[in-house]
Amino acid sequence: MKLFQKKKKKTGLALGGGAVLGAVHVGVLKVLKEKNITIDCISGTSIGAFIAALYAFGVSADDIEEVSKDLRWLDISEISLSKYGLMDNEKFGELLIEQIGDKNIEDANIPLRIIATDIASGEKVILEKGNLADAVRASACLPGIFKPVEIDGRLLVDGGIVENVPVTPLVDMGADHIIGVMLTVSAAAKRPEHIIEVMLNTFEFMITNISKPYLKDANVLIKPDLSSFDKVDTDQISDLIKKGYEEAKKMLEN
């Protein structure tokens, strides 16, 4: 009889925000499947929250790839008359419900955490229970573009403001090994062509600096060079998936 049983190590996956660049996450998930790496807990910010939610509720990497390839800007947003934003992203939540139903975060197959920001206080909000679609919408709510999502009396916006690659929730969940996926575009990237790209660039430069202290807890940081990609052009999704696959395969070789 064994007196001591070796404790199974927990692996966590943190999926960062980055608009259309989030297709990279799909390539990472495909490599995890190939290498038989089991994810025991998962967290996501912004587009990372959307993909983390699908994966946590049992949608395969291949099926997430199909959803991603069909995604268009108008599929997830529409003009809003709100004083808080130009658009709303209710369609984003509807898309999630189409794929997995109207679920609560705590019902996920893989323990899930979603990051948002309280736009009144600036506090980080870690969503671990309650309506999944609302949580994902809040996490992906770019301030000034989308109107905030109200949850439990708090106006919530994009979690990238406080932690774009959400490593700390995985530490709190007891993950022994953490894989982080960071979506970055070099400062040498092309000149922005419209207001959306101006805001996305501004947002990214800010969150890149904010995220640095948290990344030290990631054992593996997958950070592909995405300088040649556009943050809003959905025609490049297949190439982004391939880029994520190649970078993850290199980083997870050992």
Side-chain angles (χ1 to χ4, degrees), residues 8-247:
K8 180 185 181 296
K9 298 288 186 181
K10 288 178 66 174
T11 299
L13 178 65
L15 302 181
V20 170
L21 302 178
V24 163
H25 295 321
V26 180
V28 174
L29 294 177
K30 291 167 78 75
V31 174
L32 293 175
K33 178 184 177 182
E34 286 182 5
K35 292 189 171 294
N36 295 316
I37 296 175
T38 300
I39 297 303
D40 302 294
C41 50
I42 189 167
S43 60
T45 297
S46 197
I47 188 63
F50 177 73
I51 293 177
L54 290 172
Y55 195 68
F57 276 87
V59 182
S60 69
D62 290 338
D63 287 340
I64 297 175
E65 179 175 11
E66 292 307 309
V67 174
S68 301
K69 285 180 176 179
D70 290 338
L71 200 60
R72 294 293 180 268
W73 181 259
L74 292 177
D75 293 339
I76 62 169
S77 60
E78 58 188 352
I79 299 297
S80 168
L81 299 178
S82 169
K83 62 183 178 181
Y84 290 120
L86 302 174
M87 311 180 85
D88 73 44
N89 63 358
E90 287 186 15
K91 287 185 176 180
F92 201 34
E94 292 170 4
L95 177 61
L96 187 63
I97 292 170
E98 282 177 20
Q99 299 301 316
I100 59 175
D102 196 4
K103 306 289 187 180
N104 283 343
I105 300 169
E106 62 268 30
D107 297 327
N109 301 338
I110 302 171
L112 170 66
R113 300 291 184 270
I114 292 172
I115 307 300
T117 305
D118 185 323
I119 198 59
S121 66
E123 293 177 300
K124 175 165 61 179
V125 179
I126 301 175
L127 298 164
E128 56 184 76
K129 62 181 181 179
N131 186 265
L132 177 68
D134 287 347
V136 170
R137 285 179 54 226
S139 185
C141 184
L142 185 66
I145 299 295
F146 296 118
K147 69 178 184 181
V149 177
E150 185 169 347
I151 297 178
D152 296 332
R154 307 176 86 172
L155 286 180
L156 303 183
V157 297
D158 202 303
I161 296 172
V162 286
E163 190 172 0
N164 198 43
V165 183
V167 171
T168 55
L170 301 177
V171 174
D172 294 340
M173 293 167 79
D176 300 287
H177 303 296
I178 295 175
I179 301 167
V181 186
M182 186 174 184
L183 310 175
T184 57
V185 175
S186 165
K190 69 181 181 67
R191 178 173 174 159
E193 297 179 358
H194 44 71
I195 187 173
I196 302 294
E197 287 190 346
V198 168
M199 293 196 70
L200 286 172
N201 280 8
T202 304
F203 195 59
E204 182 178 337
F205 300 150
M206 176 185 70
I207 64 179
T208 297
N209 289 324
I210 290 171
S211 296
K212 286 177 181 177
Y214 303 112
L215 296 176
K216 60 180 174 54
D217 290 320
N219 303 94
V220 176
L221 183 61
I222 299 170
K223 185 182 173 183
D225 179 5
L226 303 174
S227 301
S228 61
F229 292 95
D230 185 293
K231 299 184 189 71
V232 296
D233 183 3
T234 53
D235 290 336
Q236 51 186 356
I237 282 177
S238 293
D239 290 334
L240 283 163
I241 293 172
K242 181 181 178 183
K243 187 75 172 178
Y245 178 87
E246 292 170 348
E247 188 69 15

